Amino acid sequence: MRTSRLLVAVAAAAAIMFTTVSPAAGYAGFGDVEAPERGGFYTEGVQWMVDNAITTGTSETCFSPAEPVTRGQAAAFMWRMEGEPAAAPHSFDDVTAGYQQGPVSWMAATGITTGTSASTFSPDRELTRGQLAALLHRLAGSPDASGHPFDDVVAAWQHAPVAWMVANNITTGT
């Protein structure tokens, strides 16, 4: 059950991070979420996130699907998806937003993140596809996976997460 829920969340997050949209449409309660028939392949994922209280958008009427996701926002999405578990406070000195405290604490306590240094999480930095793969792979329990078809995945820490995403049909690349 957790794995299928995680896979839906992963697909939603990936679609949201790497898409553009016209603000003329209006789905999932947001005026900037495009209809599926108009190319909004992420609409179902956004609706799932709204239905499961994972996101409220960037305002009452906007989701901002063309905007990059920050490390802090991704932490909040994953934490909410997991039911907002409690954790001991994190030790990062650059996490100042109130809504990020619980999520970053949980990610640090569970080993999903070690931050960008011993004292920083970099919550305002944009999340790369490789970083997203690593975080989601750790969230899934770091299952074994090997082999992927991508020649642009060069960092050693990205291989298993990307292979896992390929094996679970989460990504087919860009």
Side-chain angles (χ1 to χ4, degrees):
M1 176 76 163
R2 179 178 178 183
T3 299
S4 63
R5 187 172 145 201
L6 175 61
L7 295 178
V8 169
V10 169
I16 290 160
M17 283 182 63
F18 306 105
T19 188
T20 59
V21 69
S22 163
Y27 283 84
F30 302 114
D32 59 353
V33 174
E34 189 142 342
E37 60 273 9
R38 295 181 48 91
F41 63 90
Y42 50 84
T43 304
E44 185 178 318
V46 173
Q47 187 65 60
W48 179 84
M49 289 178 75
V50 169
D51 291 346
N52 287 281
I54 295 168
T55 189
T56 56
T58 56
S59 76
E60 282 188 29
T61 59
C62 290
F63 180 77
S64 302
E67 293 298 315
V69 173
T70 67
R71 292 173 52 84
Q73 290 166 335
F77 289 156
M78 287 185 248
W79 178 69
R80 291 177 194 141
M81 183 186 80
E82 291 298 305
E84 301 182 7
H90 61 79
S91 61
F92 304 120
D93 58 21
D94 63 342
V95 180
T96 58
Y99 82 92
Q100 295 173 353
Q101 299 304 322
V104 173
S105 293
W106 165 74
M107 288 182 80
T110 58
I112 295 170
T113 189
T114 56
T116 54
S117 79
S119 62
T120 60
F121 177 73
S122 303
D124 297 327
R125 187 181 296 170
E126 293 176 8
L127 192 64
T128 68
R129 292 173 61 90
Q131 290 168 343
L132 176 65
L135 293 174
L136 293 172
H137 184 243
R138 291 178 202 142
L139 177 62
S142 299
D144 289 336
S146 62
H148 59 76
F150 310 121
D151 60 8
D152 62 338
V153 178
V154 294
W157 58 269
Q158 295 174 344
H159 286 287
V162 171
W164 169 77
M165 290 180 75
V166 169
N168 286 282
N169 298 312
I170 297 167
T171 189
T172 56
T174 57

